[in-house]
């Protein structure tokens, strides 16, 4: 794996290695000695973060991960406006140039598939930080790590995904990755306009992974091990009046299994009420913190490739 552009690259073998490394880094970060040890690992590397779409978690956690490993960071947080893309530069030319300034490039872009083009042109590793309605593989990585930490296993889980499954790239990536594990089943809670893409449903069918679609939040979440909720991606909707209308609140939580977990890639708008936050099963803030450990593991993995 030279680049990470798609969740399909995150096989169970790769994930086992990355999770073990993330755990190692998590432990080292707990002590001053460990932190110093980590900062000595990659003092000669620099990463570039090129974000053509807004981000809080993905950009900052990649930058934090790089700095915790001793790397330097160069960054443009609003590349759509403040990079030379606005003058008409192609993504291929941009990465060829940035590869002269940095040893890896993290890209978020509104156009689906553009990170593949960037990777094809880049002599240094490219990481897909989210491309349009396509993929968000590093989010899938931190999601799987979170599921493993919270549930103690990646097998035999009933995963309920809800909200905007048509435009949300995190659910697409996570569904692909979790479908590799024995006994996974999915319930998609959604409306006809916001359904999971046919390409993902076809993949699940080919892999023999069972899935159902419903609009009944209470019935679906009652049997869930993992509830993965998402916001309506208003910025990608043709019809701005569309609503998902599926809310996780204390009443829904009361019907859920004691051993289960609520996840959300964040940002949250109003689809999980604040009253849920204090419930020990609400893992979304722990989930976002996990992004640093797995992105440290990923950078190490990419820089260790021969
Ligand atoms: N989960 C996620 O991708 O968050 P950001 O948009 O803040 O990076």
């Amino acid at each position: 794996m030279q680049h990470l552009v798609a969740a399909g690259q995150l096989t169970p073998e790769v994930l086992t290695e990355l999770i073990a490394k993330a755990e190692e880094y998590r432990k080292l970060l707990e002590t001053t000695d460990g932190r110093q040890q980590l900062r000595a690992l990659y003092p000669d590397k620099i990463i570039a973060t090129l974000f053509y779409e807004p981000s809080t978690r993905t950009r900052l956690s990649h930058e934090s991960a790089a700095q915790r490993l001793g790397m330097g960071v160069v960054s443009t947080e609003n590349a759509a406006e403040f990079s030379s893309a606005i003058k008409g530069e192609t993504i291929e030319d941009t990465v060829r140039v940035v590869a002269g300034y940095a040893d890896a490039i993290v890209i978020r872009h509104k156009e689906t598939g553009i990170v593949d083009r960037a990777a094809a042109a880049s002599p240094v590793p490219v990481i897909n930080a989210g491309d349009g309605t396509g993929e968000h593989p590093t989010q899938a990585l931190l999601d799987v790590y979170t599921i493993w930490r919270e549930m103690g296993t990646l097998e035999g889980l009933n995963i309920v995904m809800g909200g905007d499954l048509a435009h949300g790239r995190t659910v697409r990536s996570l569904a692909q990755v979790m479908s590799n594990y024995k006994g996974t089943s999915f319930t998609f809670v959604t409306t006809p306009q916001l359904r999971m893409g046919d390409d993902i449903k076809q993949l699940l069918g080919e892999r023999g992974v069972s899935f159902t679609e419903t609009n009944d939040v209470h019935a679906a979440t009652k049997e869930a091990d993992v509830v993965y909720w998402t916001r309506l991606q208003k910025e990608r909707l043709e019809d701005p009046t569309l609503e998902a209308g599926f809310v996780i609140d204390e009443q829904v939580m009361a019907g859920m299994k004691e051993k289960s977990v609520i996840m959300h890639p964040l940002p949250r708008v109003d689809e999980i009420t604040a009253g849920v936050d204090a419930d020990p099963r609400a893992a979304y803030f722990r989930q976002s913190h996990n992004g640093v450990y797995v992105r440290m593991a990923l950078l190490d993995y990419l820089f260790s490739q021969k």
Side-chain angles (χ1 to χ4, degrees):
M1 182 162 71
Q2 191 195 345
H3 311 282
L4 178 59
V5 292
Q9 295 172 266
L10 296 173
T11 61
E13 293 73 30
V14 170
L15 284 166
T16 299
E17 197 175 328
L18 291 173
I19 287 172
K21 186 59 82 173
E23 283 288 287
E24 183 188 323
Y25 287 159
R26 176 189 282 273
K27 282 204 179 67
L28 283 169
L29 282 169
E30 285 170 4
T31 65
T32 308
D33 278 358
R35 284 171 179 244
Q36 280 167 358
Q37 208 178 309
L38 288 168
R39 286 184 82 85
L41 285 180
Y42 289 100
D44 59 336
K45 298 287 187 201
I46 293 175
I47 70 156
T49 54
L50 292 182
F51 277 61
Y52 296 81
E53 274 195 331
S55 167
T56 298
R57 282 145 287 271
T58 312
R59 187 171 69 87
L60 294 181
S61 62
H62 272 102
E63 294 182 1
S64 171
Q67 293 194 24
R68 290 203 184 285
L69 290 169
M71 299 174 197
V73 174
V74 291
S75 180
T76 171
E77 65 181 275
N78 184 358
E81 201 178 330
F82 297 135
S83 78
S84 286
I86 204 150
K87 301 174 202 162
E89 185 169 62
T90 64
I91 193 75
E92 286 85 356
D93 282 359
T94 300
V95 296
R96 283 181 194 118
V97 170
V98 175
Y101 310 148
D103 304 290
I105 307 174
V106 185
I107 303 176
R108 169 170 289 186
H109 204 286
K110 68 175 189 312
E111 197 178 316
T112 305
I114 202 165
V115 184
D116 295 88
R117 279 174 45 202
S122 176
V124 301
V126 166
I127 296 172
N128 183 354
D131 64 321
T133 56
E135 292 256 12
H136 197 342
T138 67
Q139 178 72 42
L141 177 54
L142 79 90
D143 292 342
V144 170
Y145 178 53
T146 302
I147 293 171
W148 176 79
R149 288 203 108 238
E150 299 286 329
M151 298 301 293
T153 181
L154 293 171
E155 292 187 347
L157 298 174
N158 174 18
I159 301 174
V160 175
M161 292 181 163
D164 185 353
L165 308 184
H167 306 98
R169 52 200 173 200
T170 66
V171 284
R172 295 173 53 76
S173 290
L174 184 59
Q176 289 179 65
V177 170
M178 287 307 297
S179 68
N180 284 320
Y181 290 95
K182 211 166 77 187
T184 300
S185 60
F186 291 98
T187 305
F188 300 133
V189 180
T190 187
T191 67
Q193 296 96 328
L194 300 172
R195 275 192 182 143
M196 179 64 89
D198 288 338
D199 56 337
I200 299 294
K201 288 189 275 190
Q202 188 179 332
L203 181 84
L204 298 182
E206 286 164 7
R207 290 182 178 173
V209 176
S210 89
F211 67 89
T212 54
E213 295 181 289
T214 177
N215 59 8
D216 188 336
V217 180
H218 285 268
T221 52
K222 253 168 76 173
E223 299 305 324
D225 299 302
V226 177
V227 172
Y228 192 97
W229 228 237
T230 61
R231 75 183 167 93
L232 189 64
Q233 305 263 309
K234 287 219 182 245
E235 67 276 27
R236 304 191 202 286
L237 297 181
E238 280 171 26
D239 174 5
T241 63
L242 208 59
E243 292 293 338
F246 299 119
V247 175
I248 302 288
D249 57 16
E250 286 140 294
Q251 216 187 332
V252 173
M253 297 298 294
M256 282 181 54
K257 295 200 279 194
E258 211 169 300
K259 177 122 182 85
S260 59
V261 63
I262 303 275
M263 295 172 60
H264 192 303
L266 304 179
R268 155 180 66 174
V269 185
D270 51 12
E271 60 284 345
I272 299 179
T273 61
V276 173
D277 296 356
D279 190 301
R281 294 168 292 182
Y284 26 93
F285 295 115
R286 296 192 291 276
Q287 180 186 353
S288 68
H289 292 160
N290 286 339
V292 174
Y293 309 115
V294 293
R295 286 169 175 135
M296 288 172 76
L298 176 64
L299 288 170
D300 171 77
Y301 186 92
L302 292 174
F303 284 136
S304 303
Q305 300 293 299
K306 293 287 173 281

